[in-house]
Amino acid sequence: MARFRRMKTEVRALLAGPDQDGVLARLAGLPAAELVGPLFSLLLAPEETLRWRAVTALGATVARMADEAPEAARVVMRRFLWHMNEESGNIGWGIAEAMGEAMARSALLAREYHRNLASYVQCPQCSIGDDNFLDHPPLRLGVYWALGRLGEARPGLLGHVAPDLLRALGQEPGAQARGLVARALGLGGIAAAREALEPLADAADPVDIYRGGALERTTLGALAREALDAIRGHEERA
């Protein structure tokens, strides 16, 4: 327990520091198995920026484990899945985001778990399989962000969830959710989304997003335009 507390204090100091260049490299010099617990706990830190940095660091750590000890990484991924399960008694703040980060960084984990991540936003009446749909809208935001992060690195893995993302673009009640969905559709190169994205291009509703290592305020319209540009880019490269 004392070692855990020391590690958490050390990791928190690194993630809270003003200069984040090289932090992941410094964490990579620490034992991955010992980092997982402290980083899990920091997903619930009161500071939003610190929580997001913990997401990045935890995803990078689990991806490193996938290279060094794949079964150990699978154990952590199963822990993520358990935390997303209502029966666990937990509220999965930051869990979907960490899953998405890990899969963006690890081809192995992406291949094995991308459908689990997508299942949390798949319409239970429209999909075959277990009903994992998250009824709590704030938790779905994390999944939409995670799918965008996955699409950023591995766009080919979002095709199967495209119908559910398109439904969400039209049915989610808030601009925050719709902006994150638009981003995922664009990064996934989902050409069928163009018709639904075009009417949103001038929407001024504010959306907050974490990307490139920083929190930023943008708009639903800006994200829709970025998504349309991304789709065009995918088509030009095809």
Side-chain angles (χ1 to χ4, degrees):
M1 182 61 70
R3 184 173 178 83
F4 174 89
R5 288 195 295 268
R6 285 196 301 272
M7 180 70 81
K8 181 178 177 180
T9 299
E10 180 179 355
V11 170
R12 183 187 180 94
L14 284 172
L15 295 181
D19 183 6
Q20 287 297 295
D21 291 342
V23 166
L24 291 183
R26 293 180 66 182
L27 290 177
L30 299 172
E34 294 184 18
L35 284 172
V36 169
L39 288 170
F40 250 106
S41 68
L42 290 172
L43 295 178
L44 301 177
E47 305 91 343
E48 185 175 12
T49 298
L50 182 57
R51 293 197 302 271
W52 277 110
R53 289 175 178 174
V55 163
T56 301
L58 181 53
T61 298
V62 178
R64 172 159 63 101
M65 294 173 74
D67 290 334
E68 299 171 352
E71 190 51 40
R74 293 184 180 104
V75 169
V76 180
M77 294 297 286
R78 290 194 290 269
R79 182 177 173 186
F80 285 149
L81 297 177
W82 172 245
H83 275 264
M84 293 293 285
N85 189 328
E86 290 183 359
E87 294 178 3
S88 73
N90 297 293
I91 298 178
W93 303 122
I95 298 296
E97 294 93 320
M99 289 176 65
E101 186 69 32
M103 287 187 278
R105 293 172 178 268
S106 168
L108 171 67
L109 297 179
R111 184 172 62 250
E112 294 186 1
Y113 292 98
H114 70 280
R115 290 184 180 274
N116 296 90
L117 177 66
S119 72
Y120 297 121
V121 294
Q122 287 183 311
C123 167
Q125 290 80 31
C126 312
S127 303
I128 298 173
D130 295 335
D131 176 8
N132 286 331
F133 184 81
L134 293 173
D135 292 321
H136 193 42
L139 285 180
R140 292 202 299 275
L141 294 179
V143 180
Y144 295 137
W145 182 91
L147 288 169
R149 180 69 183 98
L150 177 60
E152 190 174 18
R154 309 180 194 284
L157 295 182
L158 295 193
H160 71 98
V161 75
D164 300 281
L165 290 174
L166 283 167
R167 268 191 297 274
L169 189 65
Q171 296 177 7
E172 284 286 0
Q176 182 71 32
R178 297 171 76 198
L180 293 175
V181 170
R183 181 170 182 262
L185 286 164
L187 291 171
I190 308 301
R194 185 182 289 106
E195 184 177 349
L197 287 167
E198 287 173 346
L200 302 178
D202 295 322
D205 312 71
V207 177
D208 295 318
I209 189 167
Y210 183 82
R211 57 182 173 179
L215 281 164
E216 64 176 85
R217 170 64 61 92
T218 184
T219 66
L220 174 57
L223 289 172
R225 293 192 298 274
E226 289 177 21
L228 288 165
D229 288 342
I231 289 168
R232 282 192 288 271
H234 279 277
E235 290 175 336
E236 289 169 2
R237 291 189 296 271

